[in-house]
């Protein structure tokens, strides 16, 4: 994303905003925003309201689709291990 002629990572910008915000410091959304980028991608990929595919997530995070695919696979695998 571009903002006033410079490249801005929307996720990093959002994370900084949440860190500086005094509102709802204990909310689940705030904690997600402060979590790992791959965890945020996994949450968005599995949110039916977000309706984001891997290509859209790749654009959002400034990564390649292969990276997003790997993140999602890693998170599914790790969550499967925790469920056992």
């Amino acid at each position: 994303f571009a903002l006033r002629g410079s490249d801005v990572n929307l996720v990093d910008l959002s994370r900084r905003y949440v860190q500086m915000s005094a509102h709802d410091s204990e909310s689940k959304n705030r904690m997600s925003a402060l979590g790992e980028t791959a965890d945020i991608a996994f949450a968005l990929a599995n949110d039916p309201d977000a309706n984001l595919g891997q290509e859209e997530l790749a654009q959002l995070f400034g990564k390649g689709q292969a990276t997003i695919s790997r993140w999602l696979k890693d998170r599914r695998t790790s969550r499967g291990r925790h469920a056992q």
Side-chain angles (χ1 to χ4, degrees):
F1 293 96
L3 183 65
R4 295 187 186 177
S6 63
D7 288 334
V8 175
N9 183 311
L10 183 59
V11 175
D12 288 340
L13 184 63
S14 298
R15 189 176 280 148
R16 285 187 208 129
Y17 170 78
V18 170
Q19 287 173 332
M20 293 186 307
S21 174
H23 304 291
D24 299 324
S25 63
E26 297 299 317
S27 75
K28 183 178 178 182
N29 289 340
R30 180 177 174 136
M31 297 311 289
S32 291
L34 296 175
E36 289 188 40
T37 304
D39 291 331
I40 298 168
F42 184 82
L44 287 171
N46 290 287
D47 183 344
D49 293 329
N51 196 28
L52 295 171
Q54 290 184 16
E55 287 295 328
E56 291 88 2
L57 291 170
Q59 290 176 354
L60 177 66
F61 291 102
K63 303 290 183 185
Q65 186 273 329
T67 298
I68 300 299
S69 178
R70 185 179 69 249
W71 286 354
L72 299 180
K73 180 182 176 187
D74 290 348
R75 291 311 181 270
R76 281 191 299 269
T77 302
S78 68
R79 290 181 191 277
R81 275 191 237 126
H82 293 305
Q84 295 176 357

